[in-house]
Amino acid sequence: MDRKIPTTLWKTQLLKLVSEAPKAALVECDELGYQRFPSTSTTTSSSGDDSDQSIQSIGFGIGGELNLREREEIRRNRHHHHRHSLRRHGMLEEDDEVIVGSTSNVCSSTISADDLGLDLRCLRLSIKNPRHHHLLESSSNCSNSLESSHNSHSPSPPQPILDDDVNNDSPNGSLSRCHSSRSNNSHHHHHNEDHDELVIPSSSASSAAAAASITTTSAPPWDRPDLYLYNPFGSAFHGYLSHSQTKQRLTKDGHYLVRKRVTDDDFVLSVRFNGHIKHFIIVFDDTSGLIYIGDRDKGYEKLQDLVQSGLITLYLDQKAGPYIDLMCDLTQFNNQRNHPTFNVRNGSRHRHHHQTPPPSSHSTVITMAVNGRHNFKVSSNSSTISKHQQHSPSPSVSSLSRSSAERQRIPDLRAHSFQVHTFQELSRCQICQNFLWGLSSQGLLCKDCNLITHESCAERVITECEPQLCHIPQVFGTSLTILVKAAGGFRPPFVIEKCVAEIEKRGLHIEGIYRVSGSREQTERLKRYLEQERESADMSQFPDIHSMCSLVKLYFRILPQPLITPDVFQRFLNADELTLDIIKRDLKKLPAAHYVTLKYLLRHLHQVAQMSDRNKMNPFNLSSVFAPSLLCPSQLNMSTLKQGTTALELMIINVPILFPKI
Amino acid sequence: MLANGNQNLAAAATTPYKIMLVGDGMVGKTAICKSYIRKTPYLSYQPTISETHEITVSIYKNDYVVILWDTNAGEEWNHLRIRDYNNTDCFILCYAIDNPTSLSNVETKWVPELNQYCPNVPILLVGTKTDIRTPSNRWISEEEGDALKVKVKAEAYIECSSKSIASIEGVLMRAVSIAEKYRQWKTQSSSRRLCTIL
């Protein structure tokens, strides 16, 4: 069997297919009644009257804004909670029923209960009626917003809602039509005088609303998400639709809409592809603002992108499916497809978006340990570092003696720093050799060594993250982590190693070592030389040892993150009394690369301090010279500096206890 | 005119002069301070973070109150030191005559820094540790110091050793007189500016 993958041949063809895929086209909801509720919805009303029942089931649609938790709660529990929350805020009485048109757009900012109170006051247009629940259009809101949306940025005009006739499919273009259609069924709408003012054509609605005691000038509720019919999908959302209704609306390949099923509360994305309608449950994540398909990991900012990406996947699957299957079969690791979207077969990884906020593409760092094939952990929190108890050192490093504390740190430094990345062109996963599908956030890129993989393949990465020193554009000012990784993970950056070795060779006995300023010019020259020659630099040709010391201090000073990171320093500052135990404990919180480098530096300084009878640099002198270079400048003032110096002095004195040699 | 001058003097007497000691590490800035205050040679080896001393300097029986700022030299202290620079009346810029690097840093580091943050403030260039000079080894000579003074446009060049209290007093008296002159110049130039506006 020919195991060669004809990848180059296929790349152009695949690209062609990508361009041929049907274009996603949104079928916008143009109906006023898009927020209608299914007639099968259960109600609390025991009334036999159909229309009354439907009103009951409409419950409260309030254009105000609750916090996310409340909103979620309301979404789950429907109108019972609505009414409850309204009453809780003292805005409604027992028999009041308020139905308010609301926006189709969701803004995700949260507003406190005080603001909510204002909003509700704004909506307090309710009418008490002993017999009928009165339907109240917040027509004032609608008219205002219609105007404002013409003038300003408001993306789509809010739609007045709630025709009580559920089965009325005709698009209601204006409030007056709304009004007339209601008038047709108005046998159960008994308007008293107040109400007549309210259900009126939009042109005069605002004055009417003013008459109905709108007492506040706070932001209008139609700019706010609708509590009840939570709709993050804007005009793509068609409300409750059945399959057959959906089919009627999607007339061409690529058309899509969002609807709700009668049976549950999920949003369903319906897409027409190849003459068939496909349905997918989609989830909108409030915190990240991303849209997810089912339980997939990949979020999209725009629905359009999601659908387009999915259509391409479907199209490729249809046209080049056998080829992709072949490719997947032939690759060593990946025998499942890596289609990011719409792939029903790929369900191996599961994440509950409701419970854990999914990673946003900008902040997520997936730290991956790579010491064993099966030893992996993906963390979606950028601040956590995956630590591994079990670790089999590779032969190249096993010769080095390490403390057990270090042993746990190793995975971090051999691990890739993957970040979700959007590749501009069709790229290949370096693990399974397959393409990275999709239009955005196709895969992961290690920001240290530029390894490209699928998210699913990242678990199979067995190579260690070893950025090549020659590929790092600049040594000074580059993050310690990258340089320590480049040095193999157990050694400090070569700049420090070289300078310290030379200083230990020549300078330990020199009076005022590290204190005497080196010549600025020499220091600059040495820096340029090291930047140029990198690891092959020969330090012996630089006679001025003080410049070398200045360079060491300079190196630490211009690190993007200080050697003793701000959070660890803050711990030192917070400690009532700095003891060795506290220092030892807090140092473990340092990033591994910082820990390795600090250990190296402190051991060196300890050696310098042991010669203090000749070089006069005792631990106190050394620490006060080094403190401003190792600590975060923004945290420094005269008092914190004293603490920092004390901590550093303690560290230099107690190097053998802090970093025992095994 | 005369009354005006007296007023200025009186005003000057109320606000102490702010004199700042700058220069490379280990050239003896703290030694100048401490020796002057204790009137005995100061021989400690601790790096200074930042200290201020209020001292009185008398010139021709006039007493001048001076706040002497002792700074740390290292580049790593730049951001802390520069905060203290404003409203300085005179800088005492030191180098050690046994340390050629400190001499070259006067030109490459200190003078540019002072000119950047405190333009126009006068600089008194001081060569320290003259006690190590022997007839056979002059180290950095007075001539070199004078040449540097001209080059960096310092007000004056003077040498001292903290082992000789008299030389230290000489440095501070010189610094005070320079500061006094600078204050006068400042008030004059500001009043002149006022006139031209009128």
Side-chain angles (χ1 to χ4, degrees), chain A residues 511-512 515-520 544 553 557 615-617 620-621 624-625 628-629 633 636-638 641 645, chain B residues 24-26 45-50 72-80 83-84 99 101 104-105 108-109:
Chain A
E511 189 181 313
R515 188 181 163 189
V516 177
S517 315
S519 141
R520 171 171 275 200
D544 185 10
K553 289 188 280 180
R557 212 158 50 240
N615 59 33
K616 297 198 176 165
M617 294 303 285
F620 174 80
N621 291 357
S624 53
V625 161
S629 299
L636 283 186
N637 54 43
M638 283 306 157
L641 193 64
T645 312
Chain B
D24 269 13
M26 268 185 69
Y45 197 83
Q46 282 193 358
T48 313
I49 292 171
S50 177
N72 184 291
E75 273 186 87
E76 58 271 20
W77 299 91
N78 275 357
H79 59 281
L80 285 175
R83 280 186 221 161
D84 299 336
N99 185 344
T101 311
S104 72
N105 276 346
T108 55
K109 178 186 170 187

Side-chain angles (χ1 to χ4, degrees), chain B residues 99-160:
Chain B
N99 185 344
T101 311
S102 68
L103 183 82
S104 72
N105 276 346
V106 164
E107 201 184 331
T108 55
K109 178 186 170 187
W110 291 105
V111 172
E113 183 180 309
L114 298 182
N115 284 343
Q116 185 189 343
Y117 294 99
C118 300
N120 302 328
V121 177
I123 297 167
L124 172 63
L125 189 62
V126 173
T128 60
K129 305 191 185 174
T130 47
D131 54 284
I132 61 164
R133 248 188 207 143
T134 56
S136 59
N137 189 347
R138 302 298 295 165
W139 298 92
I140 295 166
S141 64
E142 292 98 322
E143 288 76 31
E144 282 177 82
D146 265 327
L148 186 66
K149 178 202 95 176
V150 174
K151 206 171 171 187
V152 302
K153 298 190 177 110
E155 273 320 287
Y157 172 68
I158 197 166
E159 290 187 342
C160 71

Side-chain angles (χ1 to χ4, degrees), chain A residues 261 264 266-269 279-283 292-295:
Chain A
R261 283 193 294 202
D264 52 39
D266 288 327
F267 286 102
V268 176
L269 171 71
H279 307 281
F280 307 92
I281 291 177
I282 55 174
V283 174
Y292 293 84
I293 283 269
D295 53 11

Side-chain angles (χ1 to χ4, degrees), chain A residues 29-208:
Chain A
C29 178
D30 54 353
E31 294 170 30
L32 281 173
Y34 77 103
Q35 282 166 320
R36 274 174 296 102
F37 283 80
S39 51
T40 53
S41 165
T42 54
T43 71
T44 51
S45 166
S46 58
S47 162
D49 186 334
D50 256 342
S51 49
D52 255 358
Q53 190 178 21
S54 73
I55 297 166
Q56 283 275 334
S57 70
I58 285 162
F60 293 90
I62 299 298
E65 203 168 343
L66 297 174
N67 63 35
L68 284 177
R69 192 184 51 74
E70 279 176 311
R71 207 197 299 167
E72 185 63 32
E73 194 185 0
I74 284 156
R75 243 195 303 163
R76 279 201 212 103
N77 297 309
R78 304 238 163 159
H79 52 278
H80 308 293
H81 267 264
H82 268 269
R83 203 183 304 184
H84 173 70
S85 75
L86 281 173
R87 292 218 181 90
R88 199 183 43 182
H89 290 287
M91 300 314 295
L92 277 184
E93 288 168 42
E94 191 62 29
D95 291 324
D96 287 356
E97 193 96 314
V98 178
I99 297 154
V100 179
S102 176
T103 177
S104 54
N105 299 307
V106 167
C107 65
S108 56
S109 64
T110 55
I111 283 187
S112 68
D114 291 345
D115 293 328
L116 179 73
L118 285 177
D119 285 342
L120 291 177
R121 210 182 316 149
C122 189
L123 297 175
R124 200 174 180 186
L125 309 167
S126 62
I127 305 95
K128 205 172 173 182
N129 188 303
R131 173 62 187 89
H132 295 294
H133 295 283
H134 279 272
L135 196 63
L136 173 69
E137 296 265 5
S138 76
S139 44
S140 57
N141 300 342
C142 296
S143 69
N144 282 348
S145 64
L146 278 170
E147 280 164 26
S148 69
S149 69
H150 288 308
N151 304 335
S152 67
H153 56 278
S154 177
S156 67
Q159 317 251 355
I161 55 150
L162 299 175
D163 195 344
D164 46 327
D165 180 4
V166 175
N167 296 316
N168 182 1
D169 262 350
S170 68
N172 293 325
S174 72
L175 280 166
S176 49
R177 279 181 67 186
C178 212
H179 175 54
S180 63
S181 79
R182 180 169 305 108
S183 303
N184 296 337
N185 308 328
S186 63
H187 59 275
H188 58 274
H189 287 295
H190 175 78
H191 300 291
N192 63 22
E193 280 143 27
D194 289 15
H195 301 149
D196 282 334
E197 272 186 42
L198 290 160
V199 186
I200 48 171
S202 57
S203 54
S204 57
S206 58
S207 58

Side-chain angles (χ1 to χ4, degrees), chain A residues 230-261:
Chain A
Y230 170 80
N231 171 24
F233 299 108
S235 59
F237 181 53
H238 284 239
Y240 288 85
L241 286 185
S242 69
H243 272 226
S244 54
Q245 285 170 321
T246 310
K247 203 165 183 180
Q248 281 170 17
R249 292 176 195 212
L250 300 176
T251 51
K252 275 176 74 180
D253 271 8
H255 281 186
Y256 68 94
L257 57 79
V258 179
R259 63 193 177 89
K260 273 204 174 192
R261 283 193 294 202

